[in-house]
């Protein structure tokens, strides 16, 4: 029986769930409990980062879960202050120590931090880390087409995933096309646009009524139909279940287009060419 989200194949052959749990803000005992309820309700993809300060909570939920470790896809991210070849090798050890796990399933460069000027060296380390067994799949986050081309040209290795800001206000059509050309899976951060007023937008409310689902489910289904993997964060067990339950209905092409037409651009200070995330 299918539990949770269906899976797709990454460019390295590994399977990857079509929807996961964002964990930014899920810290401490409460955070670990919330991640635990998500796993129990069927989430298999978890998204954390060294900079979230909650790898310990996420790792605890994974270790205490009854779901076998090999069924879970644990993602973490390397911060800007750890860019560099040797630094990346040290950073993964810190992350694995925090998680209390012997490997992560997906490791991402959190931001390109072009001002640091070391994301290519960092990517070279990621390629080697994949061979070390500490990391199963490697990817990036917040990379533009130019950043992607630089790391692919330097190593011949395309990331399995690029996790980027993506929601109906910022559908990222051009970047998604580049990902398709390079065989990179698009993962959507802040897929619900951090709740905001998105869930009251007319095309979303109308589609929710037409399909008998909640507005958040319409938004997450829109991601899935674009071919992007959303990682909505919720600390609430009922909303976690609702967010995962988006594989039993289909939006029409008109509905998808009407939702994409809400486009207005980036919502936060997240221009990858200038954002400083250390
Ligand atoms: N790579 C990067 O640079 C970044 C990565 N991320 C990742 O993406 C994840 C998700 O993004 P995030 O910024 O958290 O924002 P989201 O778009 O996932 O929105 C989360 C907010 O929506 C609420 N919410 C969740 N489900 C529903 C629902 N069904 N109906 C109504 N409200 C709902 C949550 O509240 P409640 O918890 O109470 O349900 C929370 O306030 C992060 O947690 C993180 O893992 C985020 C930003 C940048
Ligand atoms: O949440 C993340 O993954 C980030 O990259 C953060 O920079 C986030 O965007 C934030 O708002 C931190 O204050």
């Amino acid at each position: 029986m299918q539990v949770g989200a269906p899976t797709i194949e990454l460019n390295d052959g590994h399977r990857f769930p079509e929807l996961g749990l964002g964990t930014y803000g899920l810290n401490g005992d409460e955070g670990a409990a919330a991640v635990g309820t998500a796993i129990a309700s069927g989430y298999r993809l978890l998204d954390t980062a060294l900079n979230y300060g909650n790898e310990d909570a996420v790792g605890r939920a994974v270790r205490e879960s009854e779901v076998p470790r090999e069924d879970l896809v644990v993602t973490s991210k390397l911060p800007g202050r750890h860019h560099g070849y040797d630094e990346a090798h040290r950073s993964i050890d810190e992350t694995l120590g925090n998680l209390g796990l012997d490997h992560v399933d997906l490791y991402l460069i959190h931001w390109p931090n072009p001002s640091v000027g070391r994301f290519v060296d960092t990517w070279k380390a990621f390629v080697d880390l994949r061979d070390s067994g500490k990391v199963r799949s490697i990817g990036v986050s917040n990379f533009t087409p130019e950043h992607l081309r630089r790391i692919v040209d330097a190593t011949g290795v395309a990331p399995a995933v690029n996790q980027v800001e993506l929601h109906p206000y910022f559908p990222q059509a051009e970047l998604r096309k580049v990902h398709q050309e390079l065989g990179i899976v698009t993962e959507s951060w802040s897929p619900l646009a951090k709740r905001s007023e998105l869930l009251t937008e007319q095309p979303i409310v109308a589609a929710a009524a037409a399909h008998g689902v909640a507005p958040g489910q319409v938004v997450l289904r829109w991601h899935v139909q674009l071919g992007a993997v959303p990682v909505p964060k919720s600390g609430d067990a009922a909303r976690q279940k609702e967010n995962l339950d988006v594989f039993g209905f289909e939006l029409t092409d008109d509905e998808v287009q009407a939702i994409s037409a809400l486009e207005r651009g980036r919502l936060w200070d997240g221009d990858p060419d200038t954002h400083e995330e250390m």
Side-chain angles (χ1 to χ4, degrees):
M1 194 188 78
Q2 171 77 49
V3 177
T7 59
I8 50 175
E9 188 173 315
L10 298 177
N11 62 17
D12 59 11
H14 290 296
R15 304 300 304 178
F16 196 65
E18 288 185 41
L19 185 145
L21 181 77
T23 71
Y24 184 73
L26 298 179
N27 294 57
D29 291 345
E30 210 179 314
V35 175
T37 62
I39 296 172
S41 67
Y43 285 80
R44 296 294 176 262
L45 169 63
L46 307 171
D47 184 72
T48 181
L50 186 65
N51 272 1
Y52 298 172
N54 69 352
E55 289 176 317
D56 57 339
V58 172
R60 177 146 47 104
V62 168
R63 285 183 275 107
E64 290 177 359
S65 157
E66 288 175 9
V67 173
R69 172 69 186 91
E70 61 270 23
D71 291 351
L72 294 169
V73 178
V74 178
T75 306
S76 196
K77 314 189 192 85
L78 173 135
R81 66 184 178 283
H82 291 174
H83 279 208
Y85 188 88
D86 294 337
E87 291 83 346
H89 280 82
R90 284 195 287 273
S91 198
I92 185 64
D93 289 339
E94 185 176 343
T95 277
L96 293 177
N98 292 339
L99 287 164
L101 300 175
D102 65 1
H103 73 282
V104 292
D105 302 276
L106 176 64
Y107 197 35
L108 306 177
I109 301 178
H110 202 148
W111 287 85
N113 287 87
S115 64
V116 175
R118 305 183 80 186
F119 66 79
V120 173
D121 280 347
T122 311
W123 185 245
K124 288 179 182 165
F126 270 44
V127 173
D128 291 346
L129 280 174
R130 194 179 52 176
D131 297 334
S132 75
K134 293 179 182 175
V135 170
R136 197 188 67 173
S137 296
I138 52 175
V140 295
S141 179
N142 300 297
F143 272 43
T144 65
E146 168 60 21
H147 303 139
L148 291 172
R149 288 200 183 93
R150 283 193 52 201
I151 58 173
V152 174
D153 287 351
T155 61
V157 179
V161 167
N162 187 14
Q163 184 186 106
V164 295
E165 179 181 348
L166 202 163
H167 41 69
Y169 293 136
F170 193 43
Q172 296 259 34
E174 276 176 39
L175 182 61
R176 283 189 286 112
K177 198 156 159 270
V178 173
H179 288 170
Q180 231 171 1
E181 287 161 11
L182 293 172
I184 298 170
V185 166
T186 305
E187 206 178 9
S188 313
W189 62 252
S190 297
L192 298 168
K194 298 191 198 280
R195 189 152 52 182
S196 62
E197 73 276 21
L198 177 69
L199 301 184
T200 63
E201 294 282 4
Q202 191 275 337
I204 292 168
V205 172
H211 295 276
V213 297
Q217 291 175 299
V218 167
V219 173
L220 296 170
R221 181 69 209 178
W222 171 86
H223 286 269
V224 170
Q225 289 186 218
L226 292 188
V229 173
V231 287
K233 173 263 172 184
S234 181
D236 175 82
R239 283 192 288 281
Q240 289 173 351
K241 276 199 182 122
E242 181 179 291
N243 292 345
L244 187 58
D245 184 16
V246 299
F247 297 96
F249 69 99
E250 188 155 349
L251 301 172
T252 65
D253 290 347
D254 285 350
E255 287 168 335
V256 169
Q257 278 169 26
I259 295 168
S260 300
L262 293 170
E263 176 157 16
R264 55 163 92 144
R266 288 185 200 287
L267 290 192
W268 300 284
D269 168 33
D271 180 346
D273 281 321
T274 53
H275 182 86
E276 298 291 347
E277 190 278 336
M278 298 307 285

